[in-house]
Amino acid sequence: MLDEISLELFEHLALLAALQLGPDETVYLHQQLNNQLRVIQALADIPLADETPITSHGVPFTAQTSPELRADIWEPCADAADILAQAPRLRDGYIVAPGIPHTTLE
Amino acid sequence: MELCDLSAYELALLLKQRKISAIETLDACLQRIEAVDGRPGALNFSDPQPDDSHRVHAFITLTAERARAQALEIDRRLAAGEDPGPLAGVPFTVKDIFCVKDTPTTAGSRILADFVAPYTATPVARLEAAGAVMLGKTNLDEFTYGSSGESSAFLPPTRNPWDPRRVPGGSSGGSAASVAAGEAPLSLGTDTAGSIRQPAAFCGVVGLKPTYGRVSRHGLIAFASSLDCPGPLARTVIDAALMLQVIAGPDSHDATAARVPVPDYISALEEGVRGLRIGLSPDYFRITFPDPETGALELQPLPAEIEAAVRQAADRLAALGAEIIEDVPLPNTRHGIPAYFVISRVEAASNLHRYDGLKYGYYDPARVDDVHKLYRKSRDAGFGIQPKLRILMGMYVSAAQYAEQYYTRALKVRTLIRRDFEQVFDPHGSYRLDALLTPTTPTPAFPMGALYGNSVLMQYADQLTVPANHAGLPGLSLPGGLSADGLPIGIQFLGPDFSEDRLLRLGRAYEQSTETEPWRAVRPKVLAG
C-alpha cells in the first residue's frame, strides 16, 4: 500500500512551512509531491540490514581531517551596520516585527 | 582567435610575459558578452523579444566597473614589478549563489532580489586574491533547485550556446554557458546532485565537482549542506586544475572544509595514465526513468551514442597504457535519486526556514498585526514553485511519524551507495580501481520546456551524477564528442576521496589524445557567426 499525501495533510504541511499558497499552486504542488513520493517509496524495497549505519556526510571527517575549531573569544563585528541594513524595517538599530501572538502549548 | 577564446592558462602566461594587459583581456570578454549574451535575467521580465531566442542570457548581474578597477590594479602591480598572482588578469564568472561583498546576490530568487552581500565567499575571495577578475554573477535555477536553468525567477532563462532552443543544464547553467560562449574562461559553480557536471556536459565544457570538504562553502547560500560542493567550470582540464589549485583547502570559516593537504594539481597533469586501472560499470550504461502514466521506475539502455562516447574514451585510455576493467558492479546507483529526493529536501527545508521577511530579503509590504501572517505572505510571494516544493517534501519526510520510514532509511541507503564505491576503489579489494569512467548524463541537452514542470523527470536528469554527491567523491565531466544532432556529450571520471589530481591527469590525457578529432574544432552555434 503506497502512502499518499492527502489534501488535508498537504494543507497542514503548508501551514507548518509558513506558506500561503494560491489554488493553482496547491493543485500543482500537491500532485508533484505525490509523484515524488511514489519514487521515494522505492526505498522501502531495498534490502537493508538493521545494523546499517546512516551516512550524514559521504566523506568521513576524522580527528586528523577535521579543522580545528576557532577559539571561543568575543570579537567585535566589523560590518554590523551592513548586515542590519538588509532588514526591511529598522528602528533605532532594532528589527521591527509585527505582533508575536502568545500561544499556550498543550 | 580572440583573447576571450584563449584559456586561463594562456591568458595568465601572456600577461606575465607582458604581451597582453588585464584590461585588454577584460575588454575582449566584455565585447563577447555584448555580442552574444543579450539582456540579463531580471525579475520584471517583459514579453519575450525575437532577439531573446538566439542569445545566451548567462548573467543576472554584470559587474563591469568593478572588474575594470580590478584589471587596472593588476596592470599597475605588474608594471610595478609585483607578482599579481597565478590567475592574474584572468576573467571569471560566479554563479549567483555565492556572496560577493557589495554586489547583488540573488540565488535566482525573488526573495533575495534586493540582497546585497555584506561579505565575500571564500572561493571567490581566493580567486580574487590570485589576481582573477570577476565579471559578474550568472543565472541559475532558483536556489540551485533544478537541472535546466529554467526555474530562475530572473528571466529570460539562460540558453545553451550550442543550440539556443535547448537548456544549458543546471543548476550552474549560466556558469557553463558563459564559459562555452567565450564570455569568460572560468566560472565558479556548485554541485549538489550534478549541478556543475551536468551543465558542463550539456555545454561542452569541463566541470569538476571536488570531494566534499575540498573547497570551502563559506559564503555559499546553502541548498543541501551535506551535499553542496563549490567547483570549477572551464574550457580545458588545465584551467580546471589551475582554478582548483587556488580555491581548495581548509578555511577557518567552514568546519567542513577538510584539513587535507592540497597537492600540486598542475605538475601531476602530464604524468600520463599508464598502469592506472579504470572501471566501466554496467550500472552506468542503463538508466532509470519513471513511466509517465504509472510512475513505475523502468530500466532503459543508455542512448547508443552516449555509450559509444564512453567506450571510445576507454579505448583511447587503454591505448595510452591504462587497464580497463569491465563489469564493475555499482548496484546501488539506481537508488541515488529516491534517496536524494529525501535527503536534499530535508536539508533544503531546514536551510530555507531562515527566509522570513524580517531579517533580510523580500518582505510583504502589507501591514499585518501577526508575525506569522508576515512570514506566510513574504514566503509565498518571495519563493518560486521549486523552493516551495522542496520545503513541503522536506517537512513531510522528516516529520516525526515518517522520519524513520523515509529520512533515516534514505541515509542508510546513502551508506550502501558509499560502500559500492569503497569496494571498487579499495586497493586491497577485487577491483582495485584508480577511477571509474561513466557517462555524465543520460541524454544530451534537451529542448527548453521539455521537462520543466515534471519534477520527477527533471530530477532523473541527475541520475548518473548524484551518486558521487551521496558518497562525497570527486567527479570530473569533460567533453567526449558530439551527438548526431551536433550537441556535446559529456564523459565522467569518478575517483576516491581527494583524488582530484588523478581525475585531472586522466582528463588531460584524454583531452590530449582527442586534440585533433574533428569534433574538437566545432564551435557553439552562437559563435558560428
Side-chain angles (χ1 to χ4, degrees):
Chain A
M1 180 68 182
L2 294 177
D3 284 340
E4 188 160 335
I5 298 171
S6 67
L7 190 56
E8 185 185 12
L9 176 55
F10 176 87
E11 287 172 347
H12 179 63
L13 288 171
L15 186 71
L16 293 176
L19 292 172
Q20 180 179 293
L21 303 171
D24 290 348
E25 281 185 318
T26 296
V27 170
Y28 174 77
L29 290 167
H30 184 219
Q31 179 199 49
Q32 291 297 316
L33 279 185
N34 278 316
N35 290 350
Q36 293 183 5
L37 193 57
R38 277 196 284 278
V39 172
I40 289 169
Q41 288 177 65
L43 296 173
D45 299 330
I46 301 170
L48 271 176
D50 288 344
E51 65 275 16
T52 306
I54 64 165
T55 292
S56 301
H57 282 103
V59 180
F61 280 83
T62 65
Q64 195 181 6
T65 60
S66 295
E68 283 181 46
L69 296 178
R70 283 177 287 162
D72 188 10
I73 52 172
W74 180 90
E75 288 178 20
C77 178
D79 49 7
D82 290 345
I83 294 168
L84 274 177
Q86 302 285 339
R89 291 176 184 160
L90 271 182
R91 191 185 306 147
D92 302 329
Y94 290 90
I95 293 170
V96 178
I100 300 172
H102 290 259
T103 305
T104 303
L105 296 176
E106 293 175 4
Chain B
M1 186 175 277
E2 299 172 48
L3 278 182
C4 57
D5 293 314
L6 298 183
S7 68
Y9 175 79
E10 291 168 312
L11 289 171
L13 188 65
L14 289 171
L15 187 95
K16 284 190 180 71
Q17 294 169 339
R18 312 281 182 93
K19 291 180 177 169
I20 60 172
S21 68
I23 282 290
E24 284 175 305
T25 303
L26 173 64
D27 283 341
C29 289
L30 292 175
Q31 282 166 20
R32 174 62 57 80
I33 292 166
E34 175 71 21
V36 304
D37 208 66
R39 56 178 169 161
L43 266 192
N44 300 314
F45 176 60
S46 56
D47 293 336
Q49 295 165 7
D51 191 49
D52 289 339
S53 62
H54 56 275
R55 301 289 185 182
V56 177
H57 309 290
F59 287 88
I60 290 177
T61 304
L62 192 62
T63 53
E65 290 315 306
R66 186 177 187 278
R68 190 167 296 283
Q70 287 180 326
L72 284 170
E73 175 62 12
I74 295 292
D75 287 339
R76 184 200 65 74
R77 291 181 63 187
L78 202 65
E82 300 172 26
D83 178 4
L87 289 176
V90 175
F92 72 105
T93 62
V94 176
K95 183 179 185 179
D96 202 11
I97 198 74
F98 289 96
C99 291
V100 178
K101 186 173 169 57
D102 297 334
T103 70
T105 298
T106 70
S109 179
R110 177 181 294 274
I111 211 160
L112 286 177
D114 296 323
F115 178 67
V116 177
Y119 67 103
T120 296
T122 296
V124 178
R126 287 180 178 173
L127 285 164
E128 293 192 328
V133 174
M134 189 186 83
L135 289 175
K137 312 288 286 294
T138 54
N139 212 337
L140 67 160
D141 284 291
E142 184 174 358
F143 279 102
T144 77
Y145 303 157
S147 309
S148 69
E150 294 165 289
S151 70
S152 177
F154 290 74
L155 301 174
T158 304
R159 291 172 176 271
N160 192 315
W162 288 81
D163 180 352
R165 295 168 301 179
R166 293 176 184 266
V167 302
S171 61
S172 308
S175 286
S178 70
V179 172
E183 297 174 339
L186 300 175
S187 189
L188 179 67
T190 61
D191 193 313
T192 306
S195 284
I196 287 174
R197 291 163 289 158
Q198 188 250 26
F202 280 10
C203 291
V205 300
V206 176
L208 174 62
K209 172 221 170 293
T211 309
Y212 184 86
R214 178 73 294 177
V215 178
S216 168
R217 293 180 295 116
H218 176 65
L220 161 65
I221 295 174
F223 165 8
S225 303
S226 78
L227 299 158
D228 296 338
C229 291
L233 292 111
R235 287 194 291 270
T236 70
V237 172
I238 294 177
D239 282 6
L242 276 172
M243 185 164 166
L244 182 65
Q245 194 76 59
V246 167
I247 63 176
D251 177 12
S252 61
H253 290 91
D254 178 1
T256 63
R259 197 167 44 166
V260 174
V262 179
D264 183 342
Y265 295 116
I266 306 301
S267 67
L269 276 178
E270 308 289 349
E271 287 179 6
V273 299
R274 182 162 300 281
L276 293 183
R277 291 170 62 85
I278 313 299
L280 297 176
S281 173
D283 297 302
Y284 277 81
F285 290 131
R286 50 181 172 240
I287 49 179
T288 306
F289 272 110
D291 182 278
E293 300 296 322
T294 66
L297 299 175
E298 296 176 350
L299 282 176
Q300 299 174 10
L302 191 71
E305 59 187 359
I306 295 183
E307 178 164 348
V310 176
R311 293 202 178 276
Q312 285 164 15
D315 291 344
R316 285 187 179 277
L317 294 169
L320 295 170
E323 189 178 350
I324 305 299
I325 316 296
E326 297 267 3
D327 295 325
V328 175
L330 294 159
N332 292 294
T333 301
R334 68 180 187 279
H335 305 318
I337 295 295
Y340 182 77
F341 261 132
V342 175
I343 297 166
S344 69
R345 271 51 174 181
V346 172
E347 295 184 15
S350 173
N351 280 321
L352 289 181
H353 280 312
R354 71 191 65 176
Y355 303 103
D356 57 8
L358 273 180
K359 301 185 291 293
Y360 57 92
Y362 178 86
Y363 80 107
D364 190 276
R367 294 280 172 179
V368 292
D369 57 1
D370 177 341
V371 74
H372 296 292
K373 288 182 187 167
L374 178 74
Y375 292 161
R376 287 198 289 272
K377 281 175 169 289
S378 299
R379 287 162 65 86
D380 184 50
F383 286 136
I385 204 82
Q386 297 304 324
K388 289 173 182 170
L389 192 50
R390 279 154 180 80
I391 294 168
L392 292 165
M393 181 57 86
M395 296 193 70
Y396 175 73
V397 293
S398 61
Q401 62 270 49
Y402 302 115
E404 185 67 26
Q405 177 185 355
Y406 293 124
Y407 184 52
T408 305
R409 194 167 183 87
L411 292 175
K412 290 182 174 181
V413 170
R414 190 175 184 179
T415 301
L416 302 186
I417 294 170
R418 168 85 186 174
R419 281 181 184 166
D420 275 358
F421 288 115
E422 286 176 343
Q423 283 166 8
V424 302
F425 293 135
D426 180 354
H428 307 294
S430 303
Y431 293 94
R432 304 182 306 284
L433 298 182
D434 292 295
L436 282 153
L437 171 61
T438 79
T440 310
T441 58
T443 66
F446 43 85
M448 300 195 82
L451 299 186
Y452 191 62
N454 186 329
S455 62
V456 172
L457 276 180
M458 186 68 84
Q459 194 67 78
Y460 269 91
D462 297 332
Q463 62 185 284
L464 302 178
T465 45
V466 76
N469 298 83
H470 283 305
L473 309 174
L476 175 71
S477 179
L478 66 162
L482 296 176
S483 71
D485 292 332
L487 298 168
I489 292 172
I491 61 170
Q492 176 177 233
F493 291 110
L494 301 172
D497 299 344
F498 301 104
S499 65
E500 288 85 355
D501 50 348
R502 192 186 306 156
L503 303 189
L504 290 162
R505 183 174 143 198
L506 279 162
R508 174 66 179 149
Y510 172 76
E511 200 175 60
Q512 282 180 309
S513 77
T514 54
E515 263 174 2
T516 57
E517 287 294 308
W519 59 266
R520 285 276 183 204
V522 182
R523 303 229 302 166
K525 198 178 282 180
V526 297
L527 302 180

PDB file of all heavy atoms in Angstrom, chain A residues 7 25 39 44 55 61 64 67 78-79 83 87 99 103-104:
ATOM      1  N   LEU A   7      -4.980  15.898   0.744  1.00  0.00           N
ATOM      2  CA  LEU A   7      -5.082  17.354   0.649  1.00  0.00           C
ATOM      3  C   LEU A   7      -5.079  17.977   2.051  1.00  0.00           C
ATOM      4  O   LEU A   7      -4.480  19.034   2.275  1.00  0.00           O
ATOM      5  CB  LEU A   7      -6.346  17.749  -0.119  1.00  0.00           C
ATOM      6  CG  LEU A   7      -6.454  19.226  -0.489  1.00  0.00           C
ATOM      7  CD1 LEU A   7      -5.245  19.685  -1.294  1.00  0.00           C
ATOM      8  CD2 LEU A   7      -7.725  19.494  -1.264  1.00  0.00           C
ATOM      9  N   GLU A  25      -1.362  26.842  -7.263  1.00  0.00           N
ATOM     10  CA  GLU A  25      -0.136  26.304  -6.657  1.00  0.00           C
ATOM     11  C   GLU A  25      -0.460  25.056  -5.844  1.00  0.00           C
ATOM     12  O   GLU A  25       0.290  24.077  -5.857  1.00  0.00           O
ATOM     13  CB  GLU A  25       0.497  27.339  -5.730  1.00  0.00           C
ATOM     14  CG  GLU A  25       1.292  28.413  -6.423  1.00  0.00           C
ATOM     15  CD  GLU A  25       1.986  29.306  -5.410  1.00  0.00           C
ATOM     16  OE1 GLU A  25       1.356  29.667  -4.397  1.00  0.00           O
ATOM     17  OE2 GLU A  25       3.153  29.641  -5.632  1.00  0.00           O
ATOM     18  N   VAL A  39       8.176   7.742  -6.172  1.00  0.00           N
ATOM     19  CA  VAL A  39       9.588   7.387  -6.413  1.00  0.00           C
ATOM     20  C   VAL A  39      10.292   7.084  -5.092  1.00  0.00           C
ATOM     21  O   VAL A  39      11.028   6.099  -4.974  1.00  0.00           O
ATOM     22  CB  VAL A  39      10.303   8.542  -7.158  1.00  0.00           C
ATOM     23  CG1 VAL A  39      11.797   8.275  -7.237  1.00  0.00           C
ATOM     24  CG2 VAL A  39       9.713   8.712  -8.556  1.00  0.00           C
ATOM     25  N   ALA A  44      11.692   1.619   0.133  1.00  0.00           N
ATOM     26  CA  ALA A  44      11.171   0.568   1.021  1.00  0.00           C
ATOM     27  C   ALA A  44      11.544  -0.828   0.527  1.00  0.00           C
ATOM     28  O   ALA A  44      11.606  -1.772   1.321  1.00  0.00           O
ATOM     29  CB  ALA A  44       9.655   0.702   1.130  1.00  0.00           C
ATOM     30  N   THR A  55      24.576   7.476   6.869  1.00  0.00           N
ATOM     31  CA  THR A  55      25.690   8.316   6.408  1.00  0.00           C
ATOM     32  C   THR A  55      25.196   9.749   6.320  1.00  0.00           C
ATOM     33  O   THR A  55      24.319  10.052   5.515  1.00  0.00           O
ATOM     34  CB  THR A  55      26.200   7.832   5.034  1.00  0.00           C
ATOM     35  OG1 THR A  55      26.818   6.558   5.204  1.00  0.00           O
ATOM     36  CG2 THR A  55      27.231   8.794   4.464  1.00  0.00           C
ATOM     37  N   PHE A  61      34.745  12.490   8.394  1.00  0.00           N
ATOM     38  CA  PHE A  61      35.598  13.522   8.998  1.00  0.00           C
ATOM     39  C   PHE A  61      36.265  12.913  10.225  1.00  0.00           C
ATOM     40  O   PHE A  61      35.595  12.578  11.191  1.00  0.00           O
ATOM     41  CB  PHE A  61      34.777  14.754   9.379  1.00  0.00           C
ATOM     42  CG  PHE A  61      34.487  15.644   8.205  1.00  0.00           C
ATOM     43  CD1 PHE A  61      33.419  15.364   7.360  1.00  0.00           C
ATOM     44  CD2 PHE A  61      35.295  16.731   7.921  1.00  0.00           C
ATOM     45  CE1 PHE A  61      33.159  16.164   6.262  1.00  0.00           C
ATOM     46  CE2 PHE A  61      35.039  17.538   6.821  1.00  0.00           C
ATOM     47  CZ  PHE A  61      33.969  17.250   5.990  1.00  0.00           C
ATOM     48  N   GLN A  64      41.914  13.801  12.347  1.00  0.00           N
ATOM     49  CA  GLN A  64      43.040  14.322  11.563  1.00  0.00           C
ATOM     50  C   GLN A  64      42.600  15.311  10.482  1.00  0.00           C
ATOM     51  O   GLN A  64      43.316  16.266  10.172  1.00  0.00           O
ATOM     52  CB  GLN A  64      43.763  13.143  10.917  1.00  0.00           C
ATOM     53  CG  GLN A  64      45.126  13.478  10.379  1.00  0.00           C
ATOM     54  CD  GLN A  64      45.786  12.269   9.729  1.00  0.00           C
ATOM     55  OE1 GLN A  64      45.187  11.208   9.585  1.00  0.00           O
ATOM     56  NE2 GLN A  64      47.030  12.430   9.341  1.00  0.00           N
ATOM     57  N   PRO A  67      38.841  20.348  10.696  1.00  0.00           N
ATOM     58  CA  PRO A  67      39.562  21.574  11.041  1.00  0.00           C
ATOM     59  C   PRO A  67      39.482  21.843  12.536  1.00  0.00           C
ATOM     60  O   PRO A  67      38.512  21.460  13.186  1.00  0.00           O
ATOM     61  CB  PRO A  67      38.800  22.652  10.267  1.00  0.00           C
ATOM     62  CG  PRO A  67      37.960  21.936   9.286  1.00  0.00           C
ATOM     63  CD  PRO A  67      37.694  20.583   9.832  1.00  0.00           C
ATOM     64  N   ALA A  78      32.671  43.760  12.500  1.00  0.00           N
ATOM     65  CA  ALA A  78      33.099  44.957  11.769  1.00  0.00           C
ATOM     66  C   ALA A  78      31.995  45.508  10.870  1.00  0.00           C
ATOM     67  O   ALA A  78      31.990  46.696  10.546  1.00  0.00           O
ATOM     68  CB  ALA A  78      34.335  44.621  10.935  1.00  0.00           C
ATOM     69  N   ASP A  79      31.071  44.640  10.473  1.00  0.00           N
ATOM     70  CA  ASP A  79      30.092  45.099   9.483  1.00  0.00           C
ATOM     71  C   ASP A  79      28.654  44.940   9.981  1.00  0.00           C
ATOM     72  O   ASP A  79      27.751  44.631   9.212  1.00  0.00           O
ATOM     73  CB  ASP A  79      30.287  44.365   8.153  1.00  0.00           C
ATOM     74  CG  ASP A  79      30.378  42.865   8.331  1.00  0.00           C
ATOM     75  OD1 ASP A  79      30.167  42.393   9.461  1.00  0.00           O
ATOM     76  OD2 ASP A  79      30.636  42.162   7.342  1.00  0.00           O
ATOM     77  N   ILE A  83      25.004  44.526   7.814  1.00  0.00           N
ATOM     78  CA  ILE A  83      24.088  43.394   7.977  1.00  0.00           C
ATOM     79  C   ILE A  83      22.703  43.896   8.367  1.00  0.00           C
ATOM     80  O   ILE A  83      21.687  43.487   7.793  1.00  0.00           O
ATOM     81  CB  ILE A  83      24.655  42.414   9.019  1.00  0.00           C
ATOM     82  CG1 ILE A  83      25.940  41.780   8.469  1.00  0.00           C
ATOM     83  CG2 ILE A  83      23.639  41.347   9.391  1.00  0.00           C
ATOM     84  CD1 ILE A  83      26.753  41.019   9.489  1.00  0.00           C
ATOM     85  N   ALA A  87      17.813  44.549   6.692  1.00  0.00           N
ATOM     86  CA  ALA A  87      16.481  44.303   7.272  1.00  0.00           C
ATOM     87  C   ALA A  87      15.469  45.259   6.655  1.00  0.00           C
ATOM     88  O   ALA A  87      15.739  46.458   6.512  1.00  0.00           O
ATOM     89  CB  ALA A  87      16.540  44.484   8.777  1.00  0.00           C
ATOM     90  N   GLY A  99       3.172  42.015  15.675  1.00  0.00           N
ATOM     91  CA  GLY A  99       2.914  41.352  16.945  1.00  0.00           C
ATOM     92  C   GLY A  99       3.206  39.865  16.895  1.00  0.00           C
ATOM     93  O   GLY A  99       2.992  39.203  15.875  1.00  0.00           O
ATOM     94  N   THR A 103       1.052  31.805  22.433  1.00  0.00           N
ATOM     95  CA  THR A 103       0.396  30.515  22.254  1.00  0.00           C
ATOM     96  C   THR A 103       0.627  29.695  23.516  1.00  0.00           C
ATOM     97  O   THR A 103       1.739  29.655  24.042  1.00  0.00           O
ATOM     98  CB  THR A 103       1.010  29.768  21.052  1.00  0.00           C
ATOM     99  OG1 THR A 103       0.927  30.615  19.922  1.00  0.00           O
ATOM    100  CG2 THR A 103       0.281  28.457  20.774  1.00  0.00           C
ATOM    101  N   THR A 104      -0.417  29.084  23.995  1.00  0.00           N
ATOM    102  CA  THR A 104      -0.274  28.205  25.154  1.00  0.00           C
ATOM    103  C   THR A 104      -0.074  26.784  24.646  1.00  0.00           C
ATOM    104  O   THR A 104      -0.910  26.252  23.912  1.00  0.00           O
ATOM    105  CB  THR A 104      -1.534  28.257  26.036  1.00  0.00           C
ATOM    106  OG1 THR A 104      -1.745  29.620  26.408  1.00  0.00           O
ATOM    107  CG2 THR A 104      -1.357  27.389  27.280  1.00  0.00           C
TER     108      THR A 104
END
